[in-house]
Structures are given as C-alpha cells and as structure tokens.
Amino acid sequence: MAELRSEEEQVDALKRWWKENGVSLIAGVAIAAAGVFGWNAWQSYQENQASAASARYQQLINLTAGTQLDNADNVGGARELVIEIIDNHGKTLYADLARLIDARLAVAQGNPSDARAALETVIDASDRDYVKGLARLRLARLQVADGDAEAALATLDTGVPDALAAQRAEVRGDAHHALGRESEAGAAWREALDLAESRNQPLFGVQLKLDNLGLYNSGLDNQELDS
C-alpha cells in the first residue's frame, strides 16, 4: 500500500507540474518548431532566388552572344532583361554582371552616357573588388574614347585589383597615347606585356600598339585576353 501511495503521489505531482508548466512547454516547443520551419523556408527561398537569378543571367548571356547584338531588337530585349535582373536580384553578383553587360549594350545602341552610368553604379554599389575593377577599366576605356584621357587616368588610380594589372597598364598606355605622351604610352604598354607574359595571360593588340610607335618588344602578340 505504501508503494501504491507513493506512485499516486508521483502521479499527482506530475499532474501539478504539468498544470503549472505545460502551457509554457508547449509554447516553447511551438516556437522552436516555428523557428526551424522559418529558417528552412528562408533557406529554400534563397536557393530559389539564386536559381532564378542564375537562369535569367544565362538567358542574358545567350541573348548577347556572338552576332546576336547585330539585331536591334535583341539589344533592346537584353536591356529589359538587365532591368529585370537588377530589380529582382539587385544585391547579387548577377546584378553586378548584368550592369557590366548593360554598359556594352548601351555602347552598341550609341548611348555612351548610359554606359558610363551603368559602370559608375557598379563602382559605387558593388562590394566585389574584382567586379569594381572591371567596371573601372571599362569606364576608363570609355573616357579615352570620349576624349577625356585625364579622367581615364584618374579612374584607373581609384582602384583596380592586381589580378587586372596587365589590362590596367594597357589602358593607361592608351590614355597617355591619347594625350600625345608617346614615351609614357610605350612604357605602360611594355609593362602590360611584361605582366601578361609573367602571368601567362595572353594580351591582344598591345604589341601592335608598340609597333605603331616604332618601339620593339618581344612580348606576346596577337593573342586575346578577355577583360
């Protein structure tokens, strides 16, 4: 009988504990379950967004490949797709890359001001140093083409990563040449070839620029580096 009373007392104690703590326990479990569900849902959403951004960016690449840009409708459609990628995936790498492509599309449409705006947005908004460096290189090329070589030199000095040093030296040479500084241009182009050769990075056209100056360099020639 003593054992029975002991068991009954334990049951009564359990009932009292459950009455006092059961609601809190259920709430805690529910909150924990909601947290797990919410995190999993957020992870799933992020993965879906990344997949969508990747798919749209690949569509943009396909639309701007090869001779596709010979068709004005393709150019217009591609620029609309850039806007969609930026609107829906503005903080992603795909948005940065889409803006770089948009600059090229703007040039194809004869809108250099739009091209500069796209590149300046990448420079101002991106937190990816390499992408910002690409944007600065392309902006500097536009500035040289627009007759503002001094601005191009200033742009190059604001930060281009070392991985793009050969291309930076080439554009610096272009800027000096546009300003009539042939010796500075030759030195920059030779530096570009030396950097490209030391890193096994083929660089197209720089040797020809040196040859046109009457300056010989035994570096790389007629090979292409996509920057």
Side-chain angles (χ1 to χ4, degrees):
M1 294 296 292
E3 292 178 358
L4 181 59
R5 283 196 300 273
S6 177
E7 290 176 359
E8 289 176 347
E9 289 170 354
Q10 290 176 15
V11 170
D12 289 339
L14 179 60
K15 288 179 179 178
R16 287 194 302 274
W17 181 90
W18 180 257
K19 183 177 180 180
E20 294 171 359
N21 301 286
V23 174
S24 298
L25 179 62
I26 292 172
V29 171
I31 291 171
V36 171
F37 175 79
W39 173 253
N40 289 339
W42 173 249
Q43 290 290 91
S44 178
Y45 170 78
Q46 291 289 82
E47 290 173 2
N48 290 338
Q49 285 292 94
S51 295
S54 176
R56 299 304 274 167
Y57 180 71
Q58 186 58 53
Q59 183 180 350
L60 178 62
I61 291 294
N62 294 339
L63 195 58
T64 57
T67 60
Q68 297 289 343
L69 294 185
D70 293 341
N71 186 322
D73 290 338
N74 284 351
V75 175
R79 297 201 72 186
E80 291 177 3
L81 187 53
V82 166
I83 294 172
E84 179 184 334
I85 292 171
I86 292 170
D87 286 346
N88 294 332
H89 313 285
K91 297 298 183 180
T92 67
L93 173 62
Y94 297 110
D96 287 345
L97 297 178
R99 287 188 176 97
L100 292 178
I101 291 176
D102 192 46
R104 179 159 59 93
L105 297 173
V107 171
Q109 287 186 320
N111 295 317
S113 60
D114 285 358
R116 286 193 297 272
L119 295 171
E120 287 167 354
T121 298
V122 174
I123 293 168
D124 292 339
S126 177
D127 57 1
R128 301 168 180 89
D129 289 341
Y130 186 85
V131 175
K132 290 164 75 82
L134 280 177
R136 288 189 175 104
L137 281 173
R138 295 180 184 184
L139 178 59
R141 288 191 178 107
L142 277 178
Q143 289 167 330
V144 171
D146 288 343
D148 198 356
E150 291 288 2
L153 291 171
T155 297
L156 295 173
D157 287 339
T158 59
V160 176
D162 191 56
L164 297 168
Q167 296 94 322
R168 179 182 58 205
E170 179 189 1
V171 180
R172 182 175 286 117
D174 295 344
H176 283 305
H177 185 258
L179 292 167
R181 304 169 184 167
E182 293 192 356
S183 61
E184 289 92 337
W189 288 335
R190 282 193 296 269
E191 178 188 2
L193 285 177
D194 289 343
L195 287 167
E197 185 173 23
S198 67
R199 299 175 182 190
N200 196 29
Q201 296 177 331
L203 197 63
F204 176 78
V206 178
Q207 183 61 57
L208 182 59
K209 295 174 184 179
L210 283 168
D211 292 343
N212 288 338
L213 284 180
L215 300 172
Y216 174 76
N217 188 81
S218 59
L220 307 174
D221 61 347
N222 296 329
Q223 293 175 296
E224 181 170 2
L225 175 67
D226 183 9
S227 62

